[in-house]
Amino acid sequence: MKSYILKRMLSMIPVLLIVSVIVFMIIHLIPGDPASVMLGEEATPQEVQELRDELGLNLPIYEQFIQWFSGIFQGDFGNSIYMNMPVLEAFLGHIGPTLSLALLAQSISIAIAIPIGVIAAKRRGTYVDQLFMTIAMLGLSLPSFLMALLLMLLFGVNLNWLPVAGYAPISNGLWNHLQYMILPAISLGAIQAAVISRMSRSSMIDILSMNYIKTAKAKGVKDRVVIYKHALRNAFIPILTILGETFGSLITGAVVTETVFNLPGIGQLVINAIVRRDYAVIQGTILIIALAYLLLNLLIDLLYGLVDPRVRFNRK
């Protein structure tokens, strides 16, 4: 187990290096000058050049990359030239709303999707199966921002049940916090629920057609035991994989939803950094998210062994 984890950790290094090079190059190829944005339209060319010298933007691009990347090994992701604080501090200051949104959206999607997938597989070919899969297709087809606007219109404007935008930290009270997170979480979780339910149905259909399930039924084992103890457990590895991928996409794909609901999360941090040409924040945030995504995949792989004891990590 330890050697497997070590190998996986070492394999992350080239991935992060490639990601950092691509992100750095793309950011510096985008038109726009951070010094000009900071000083405004009334700044003279001399003032812009002086600020570029101060920020190190006049150095050759490879020197800028080496300076930035060498700092990462010391835990320094650079400093935001606009917020005047370390990138890591800015990231940690915005991760709370994003993490809370992702966890709530994932909980909603699991609560909806797995029962739907199990029932659809059990009733395969019936109108119940077709109804659930039609709803899942609608969930996949509907963009998250459109779902968000429809929820705001219905529950925020017409019914006045929930606030349409804004954010309250959990320190202000759990219900006060959830009031602002329910609509964004539903708009994100509905799409993920569609993906997870289709995978759950497909995986359960494969398991339910196996001989040991037929044998269990022939021996008179209760239907509920066959489904939830024998079938669902063995069908859970593909579901677990898709859960890991959807949670990663919730963290990285919440930019639009956070913007629509005005949540001060990672999405808003990245959008503001792009508008201001805050290179260090964009580069650092994307690299941290990539690292988190790799660690999440490692965690999911390790959970395979808990779900299915036949999975071993030390086999060559």
Side-chain angles (χ1 to χ4, degrees), residues 7 9 55 76 94 101 120 127 132 179 188 201 266 305:
K7 288 178 183 175
M9 297 289 283
L55 297 175
D76 180 14
H94 287 77
L101 174 61
Y127 72 92
F132 283 157
Q179 279 184 319
L188 273 178
R201 176 184 178 274
I266 297 301

Side-chain angles (χ1 to χ4, degrees), residues 10-11 54 90 168 194 210 294:
L10 292 174
S11 69
E54 184 180 339
M210 291 189 172
L294 292 172

Side-chain angles (χ1 to χ4, degrees), residues 35-107:
S36 299
V37 174
M38 289 180 67
L39 294 175
E41 296 179 354
E42 297 179 356
T44 64
Q46 183 180 357
E47 290 172 333
V48 173
Q49 284 301 319
E50 288 175 356
L51 184 57
R52 284 182 62 83
D53 288 334
E54 184 180 339
L55 297 175
L57 297 174
N58 284 330
L59 293 172
I61 194 164
Y62 69 88
E63 288 189 23
Q64 294 183 47
F65 177 77
I66 291 172
Q67 284 186 0
W68 172 66
F69 197 72
S70 59
I72 291 173
F73 289 99
Q74 303 168 10
D76 180 14
F77 288 84
N79 289 307
S80 167
I81 57 177
Y82 193 87
M83 293 184 285
N84 196 25
M85 65 170 62
V87 170
L88 191 58
E89 185 179 335
F91 181 87
L92 294 176
H94 287 77
I95 190 61
T98 300
L99 202 56
S100 177
L101 174 61
L103 288 172
L104 190 57
Q106 187 77 327
S107 301

Side-chain angles (χ1 to χ4, degrees), residues 228-245:
Y228 293 102
K229 184 176 180 182
H230 299 293
L232 183 57
R233 182 174 181 179
N234 289 311
F236 204 71
I237 282 190
I239 300 173
L240 188 61
T241 304
I242 205 72
L243 287 179
E245 292 180 1

Side-chain angles (χ1 to χ4, degrees), residues 39-313:
L39 294 175
E41 296 179 354
E42 297 179 356
T44 64
Q46 183 180 357
E47 290 172 333
V48 173
Q49 284 301 319
E50 288 175 356
L51 184 57
R52 284 182 62 83
D53 288 334
E54 184 180 339
L55 297 175
L57 297 174
N58 284 330
L59 293 172
I61 194 164
Y62 69 88
E63 288 189 23
Q64 294 183 47
F65 177 77
I66 291 172
Q67 284 186 0
W68 172 66
F69 197 72
S70 59
I72 291 173
F73 289 99
Q74 303 168 10
D76 180 14
F77 288 84
N79 289 307
S80 167
I81 57 177
Y82 193 87
M83 293 184 285
N84 196 25
M85 65 170 62
V87 170
L88 191 58
E89 185 179 335
F91 181 87
L92 294 176
H94 287 77
I95 190 61
T98 300
L99 202 56
S100 177
L101 174 61
L103 288 172
L104 190 57
Q106 187 77 327
S107 301
I108 290 172
S109 64
I110 291 173
I112 295 172
I114 293 183
I116 284 179
V118 171
I119 294 171
K122 189 181 173 185
R123 304 279 183 91
R124 182 185 182 187
T126 64
Y127 72 92
V128 175
D129 179 24
Q130 293 172 0
L131 176 64
F132 283 157
M133 289 304 100
T134 302
I135 294 173
M137 284 301 296
L138 284 174
L140 279 175
S141 307
L142 199 61
S144 62
F145 74 89
L146 183 57
M147 173 77 82
L149 293 175
L150 291 174
L151 291 172
M152 290 169 72
L153 184 64
L154 177 61
F155 295 103
V157 178
N158 291 337
L159 299 176
N160 200 25
W161 287 356
L162 295 167
V164 295
Y167 175 74
I170 200 166
S171 57
N172 290 1
L174 182 59
W175 173 240
N176 196 25
H177 175 70
L178 289 176
Q179 279 184 319
Y180 289 94
M181 303 304 288
I182 289 175
L183 294 183
I186 292 175
S187 67
L188 273 178
I191 299 173
Q192 308 305 327
V195 177
I196 297 169
S197 64
R198 287 173 62 83
M199 176 57 73
S200 302
R201 176 184 178 274
S202 174
S203 183
M204 281 294 291
I205 286 174
D206 290 341
I207 297 297
L208 288 175
S209 64
M210 291 189 172
N211 289 333
Y212 74 91
I213 295 293
K214 295 175 183 175
T215 304
K217 288 181 178 177
K219 286 183 175 179
V221 179
K222 291 182 179 178
D223 201 37
R224 191 193 316 169
V225 176
V226 172
I227 295 293
Y228 293 102
K229 184 176 180 182
H230 299 293
L232 183 57
R233 182 174 181 179
N234 289 311
F236 204 71
I237 282 190
I239 300 173
L240 188 61
T241 304
I242 205 72
L243 287 179
E245 292 180 1
T246 53
F247 188 73
S249 65
L250 285 172
I251 296 287
T252 58
V255 175
V256 176
T257 303
E258 288 182 0
T259 304
V260 171
F261 287 98
N262 195 27
L263 296 175
I266 297 301
Q268 193 179 87
L269 175 69
V270 173
I271 293 292
N272 289 337
I274 291 173
V275 172
R276 297 164 179 166
R277 301 294 187 273
D278 200 339
Y279 292 163
V281 173
I282 302 171
Q283 295 162 181
T285 302
I286 293 176
L287 194 62
I288 293 171
I289 289 174
L291 176 61
Y293 201 85
L294 292 172
L295 291 175
L296 179 64
N297 278 314
L298 174 59
L299 177 63
I300 294 297
D301 288 347
L302 294 176
L303 288 177
Y304 288 162
L306 296 178
V307 175
D308 188 347
R310 293 172 298 179
V311 177
R312 294 289 181 268
F313 299 102

